[in-house]
Amino acid sequence: MMRIENGTVVGHDAMGPDYRVLTLKLPEVAPLAKPGQFIHLRLAQLHDAVLRRPFSIYRADGNHLSILYKTVGRGTASMQNLRLNDTASVVGPLGNGFPLDLASSVTPVLIAGGYGVAPLYFLARKMTRRGILFIGGAKAADILLADEFRALGWEVQVATDDGSLGVKGLVTLALDAWLQALVPNAQPEFFACGPNGMLKAVGDRAISGNRKAWLSLDRHMGCGVGACLACVQKVRLSGQETLARVCKDGPIFEARDVIWED
Amino acid sequence: MMRIENGTVVGHDAMGPDYRVLTLKLPEVAPLAKPGQFIHLRLAQLHDAVLRRPFSIYRADGNHLSILYKTVGRGTASMQNLRLNDTASVVGPLGNGFPLDLASSVTPVLIAGGYGVAPLYFLARKMTRRGILFIGGAKAADILLADEFRALGWEVQVATDDGSLGVKGLVTLALDAWLQALVPNAQPEFFACGPNGMLKAVGDRAISGNRKAWLSLDRHMGCGVGACLACVQKVRLSGQETLARVCKDGPIFEARDVIWED
Amino acid sequence: MTPTLDITLAGIRMKNPVMVASGTFGYGPEYADLVDLDKLGAIVVKGISLEPWGGNKTPRMVEVSGGLINAIGLQNPGVAGFIGKYMPFLRKHDLAVIVNIWGKTLEEYAEVAARFDGVEGIHALEINISCPNVKAGGSSFGTTLESTAKVVAAVRAKTKLPIIPKLAPNVSDIGAFAKVCEDNGADALSLINSFPAMAIDIETRRPILANISGGLSGPAIHPIAVKLVYEAAKAVKIPLIALGGITSAKDAIEFMIAGASAVAVGTANFTEPLTALNVIDGLRDYLARKNMTRVQELVRSIRI
Amino acid sequence: MTPTLDITLAGIRMKNPVMVASGTFGYGPEYADLVDLDKLGAIVVKGISLEPWGGNKTPRMVEVSGGLINAIGLQNPGVAGFIGKYMPFLRKHDLAVIVNIWGKTLEEYAEVAARFDGVEGIHALEINISCPNVKAGGSSFGTTLESTAKVVAAVRAKTKLPIIPKLAPNVSDIGAFAKVCEDNGADALSLINSFPAMAIDIETRRPILANISGGLSGPAIHPIAVKLVYEAAKAVKIPLIALGGITSAKDAIEFMIAGASAVAVGTANFTEPLTALNVIDGLRDYLARKNMTRVQELVRSIRI
Ligand SMILES: Cc1cc2nc3c(=O)[nH]c(=O)nc-3n(C[C@H](O)[C@H](O)[C@H](O)COP(=O)(O)OP(=O)(O)OC[C@H]3O[C@@H](n4cnc5c(N)ncnc54)[C@H](O)[C@@H]3O)c2cc1C
Ligand SMILES: Cc1cc2nc3c(=O)[nH]c(=O)nc-3n(C[C@H](O)[C@H](O)[C@H](O)COP(=O)(O)OP(=O)(O)OC[C@H]3O[C@@H](n4cnc5c(N)ncnc54)[C@H](O)[C@@H]3O)c2cc1C
Ligand SMILES: Cc1cc2nc3c(=O)[nH]c(=O)nc-3n(C[C@H](O)[C@H](O)[C@H](O)COP(=O)(O)O)c2cc1C
Ligand SMILES: Cc1cc2nc3c(=O)[nH]c(=O)nc-3n(C[C@H](O)[C@H](O)[C@H](O)COP(=O)(O)O)c2cc1C
Ligand code: FES
Ligand code: FES
């Protein structure tokens, strides 16, 4: 079930130099939100934009829903101008979301790149158990929410491209080291959100280790509700190749189902 | 000489319920401004508008230039959101302006409709002598600056369509009564800014009374600088019919030169 | 008195003249949480071909000033897939169902039409002879008078349903295309489809869309579409369904004044899913304000 | 190293490939207070006819989403008026002067061309066969291959100046029009002119423009123009001058990658008179960033 609703800005704060958290009052949408789902946001400030912008749900508390975003283009730039009491139209919650009912023997392993940590934090808050978060980024300023995860009782390992925080290199480096050291009967299950390269790398490890990996795909979107077929991803469903809609059938796919092309 | 300059908002105040005064710091444009000229304003807020919006210069004091505007459409609506320290691009001053060197025997008679009072106030402030202002509008709230004119020592006569201020009816009613009562050797010269109907009526009176009338025409504009030929008005120049550009050859025309077509 | 909005267009009864455009509203269920389908005049479903079709590679869509370019490539589940998967849902709703059809050959167009003839709950066929995104058929059919005539005649021969050719915008003389459709048995016309267009990534110097080019839709094309509708209305007597950049009742009313009997909302569904409903309300308010009692009074009412 | 921007296009030497488009920059003096003309590659002056011409009634222009519709109707002072009034000014400046010409008949086109042949300070003639706003000639010439060929050949016969037909956008196969111009002696092509378009005042139900319809220009048409330039570049070898909705260096660079050797800024002059200068600076910065030494490296550099 999705809704369309005008949200009122009730919070808009910087998170480090490059990211912001926008909190909207959305009494209809917020209570429906599940980790891994997203909203489709329209900005009155951006008169001439025909497309909404998709953002993962970072928090949903009562009537309030937050997203965590980075300014990359004109839509996100215009979002920066949103002030308290401004409104923005929201369609959501959209997409399938992460599976939440894990077998009790499973250890959740989250892998985040950049703002990909947003839906994973929502996931961690909704999970009854704890696990480990691997978080990567270009530099220290791209490593968000590590302390918040620790506060929830999660282990956190950090990797940055420039070595300014945690290990230097890709986040999969840290992941590989950890996997190597795993006890044989451990049952890690992966949940990843970040750039395609990272998702694919996580998926490869899951498949070769015979584990499950839930990947949150990032695709340019038109409608966001499954109508336009702009966002398709080649997948294998019950053995058959088909085109899934990332917005509706995803954005979360199990690694085995995804057929990566070039 | 015209300039293009980014103006910083240094004032933005309501004048009655329907009008606002926007004051920009324009160190290059403001000192060049003459009464009857206008500026062409671009609003960053209105991304998708390809045309600037023309506004008469209401005041020009040192580095500051003000316009007095009414919200009628999307451009003026977006202007309302301008806050202190915002910027707006200005091209100006544009157009010819009113003649300022009147024979000493001449009595200036200003006739204003709605925001048409803005350039006339600038004119009154720049004239060394005093005269009379006839100001008309739909209702009391459309009668602006009457007290300011009186403070400059001008006589002011008011007409409103609904009779909520001054005489009830068209401003030309008041004008006609005044003209009737004129001493024979009086030499009124008219300066008018307002709706076309009013301009034409003033022009007709001037021509039949063998007086001069300087009319400020209001035309939808493209370039504002004489390049696009969107704003033309049929005029008589040295006996010949021709198309004048309201933005460049005007906006002020002498009544005899204007050829009104339905 | 509340003005009445219901119309009968080419024999199709609709409670109002506002439809949602092919390719922008899926097959019905996609927007059903947000938009009460029973309030719409009609849905035109995404283009259907004989067999399932995969469409183009991604990226398939890019936003540009005042619109978007899409090159979906007509991905669809095929006639049987569509009927099986979506018609049960659509039959439960109170709105006209218009099926947009296409083929890679003349024979395929005819065959698709034949397959839909007599299917319960389908009110008309819209013939897409103008999709800029399928090379094998689509585009080329709609840009010559001869092939336009052939497709329309071929479909006409195979169905008793009302048929509605959807014209390409990139022609010099839309009136001639409208006329050739009318002469070959079209019951109404849809105009227009999106414009061939292209965007290039200046960093990579590659086209942004995998298909190189696509079709421009959205507010950018509205004034061009109004002109085309105005020209087509002068050329034919059959009713016109206008689309292209509608975002508000005002845009729709312009189309109707220019000559359209009905309108369809496309890209604006993405921007604001409630657009079609807003258009219906705005149209009703406008008619009331103008003291018109029936929406038909607006059609072709331009004053020159 | 600073990249070099100078080009020689159809024999016309320009210090950079950025021009201002016909009808949007007057005859030179109008914007001279704001824009240093000596920095522009070329000016294309407002369309000139044999005799002075009054153009259409007002309103002549209306703003729409992402652009404007104009129906100026080619008001101009005629050949003699233009030469007498504006050429002395233009000759004092260091930029190429391209005169946009039009006629109501084939003979008039030829005659205008003849009159400009040998006039000092004129570098080329742009032939407007595509103005949507003059019914007697303009539009119709540019939308059939036959009349396009005739106009180009007629002008070719009368001048030694480089000739640059300006193509209409509302055709199905721009490549064919480009080719027929090339075959009939065109030295370069300009594309594109504005699109036939229309806006209606829903309160009065009358067209907003006195001329009923006009030409759409501005950002709205840019993605369509890019596609047309890309197609024309595949069809001909002569250089292309691209225009349509340029507001930034990015828009210009897209055109050059798609196939244009030069670009012209039109409607954006009204929005932001410094656009052409910004495009020049942005183009230089881009080339430097991409390690290109000459602007020619960009032309037709699309990667498919
Ligand atoms: C399911 C999903 C969840 C997302 N969650 C977040 C999040 O939590 N925080 C966050 O900062 N960003 C998130 N993104 C990316 C976010 O949607 C883009 O950063 C945003 O759309 C950029 O808009 P723009 O106008 O600033 O950029 P522009 O580049 O100007 O946008 C142009 C067009 O491209 C699209 N686009 C550009 N970048 C992306 C991208 N990375 N993914 C999808 N579309 C893109 C825009 O939506 C728009 O249609 C998510 C994307 C998806 C698909
Ligand atoms: C020389 C001159 C001086 C002016 N001085 C003033 C002034 O001092 N105060 C003031 O409030 N207004 C003044 N106007 C009118 C002002 O330009 C319009 O109110 C304004 O352009 C409306 O813009 P919009 O986007 O709000 O309206 P919209 O209706 O959304 O505008 C659409 C288009 O129409 C044009 N337009 C609409 N109304 C007018 C109009 N009355 N005149 C010219 N173009 C119009 C706009 O510029 C725009 O291009 C003046 C006009 C001219 C020509
Ligand atoms: C994503 C997308 C998919 C489309 N698919 C189809 C289609 O399958 N068949 C068709 O005839 N038109 C299709 N169209 C064209 C629209 O129906 C419509 O003609 C066009 O978008 C112009 O209207 P608009 O500006 O309101 O969007 C599609 C348009 C878009 C944006
Ligand atoms: C007000 C106006 C007047 C124009 N006059 C002419 C003209 O006289 N001759 C011509 O060939 N094109 C004329 N054009 C078309 C432009 O030169 C250009 O082809 C078109 O506007 C598209 O470019 P743009 O989107 O950058 O404006 C005119 C355009 C405008 C807006
Ligand atoms: S964005 Fe439209 S189907 Fe996914
Ligand atoms: S507005 Fe362009 S000539 Fe006056």
Side-chain angles (χ1 to χ4, degrees), chain A residues 185-199:
Chain A
N185 63 344
Q187 284 191 37
E189 190 162 322
F190 302 105
F191 299 81
C193 187
N196 270 349
M198 190 199 94
L199 297 182

Side-chain angles (χ1 to χ4, degrees), chain A residues 8-14 19-25 39 41 43 55 58-59 64-69 79-80 82-84 86 88 90:
Chain A
T8 309
V9 177
V10 293
H12 198 183
D13 304 297
Y19 297 81
R20 281 170 183 244
V21 175
L22 177 69
T23 303
L24 297 166
K25 188 174 168 196
I39 61 166
L41 192 68
L43 299 164
F55 296 94
Y58 157 50
R59 301 181 71 127
H64 291 185
L65 184 150
S66 305
I67 61 173
L68 166 57
Y69 73 95
M79 282 168 68
Q80 296 203 4
L82 283 172
R83 309 183 199 202
L84 291 186
D86 283 353
V90 165

Side-chain angles (χ1 to χ4, degrees), chain C residues 164-201:
Chain C
I164 311 171
K166 183 165 176 183
L167 302 184
N170 55 326
V171 299
S172 309
D173 184 1
I174 194 83
F177 284 85
K179 191 75 177 57
V180 88
C181 290
E182 183 175 54
D183 290 347
N184 282 277
D187 301 286
L189 297 173
S190 282
L191 58 172
I192 53 166
N193 215 313
S194 53
F195 272 79
M198 183 169 174
I200 297 169
D201 180 337

Side-chain angles (χ1 to χ4, degrees), chain A residues 38 40 51 219-232 244-249, chain C residues 23 30-31 60-61 72 270:
Chain A
F38 65 98
H40 222 185
L51 294 182
R219 262 278 190 301
H220 285 220
M221 286 180 180
C223 64
V225 303
C228 75
L229 309 178
C231 66
V232 295
R245 300 160 301 178
V246 170
C247 67
K248 177 82 181 173
D249 308 315
Chain C
E30 295 84 351
Y31 276 107
R60 291 176 167 190
M61 190 183 281
I72 305 299
F270 306 157

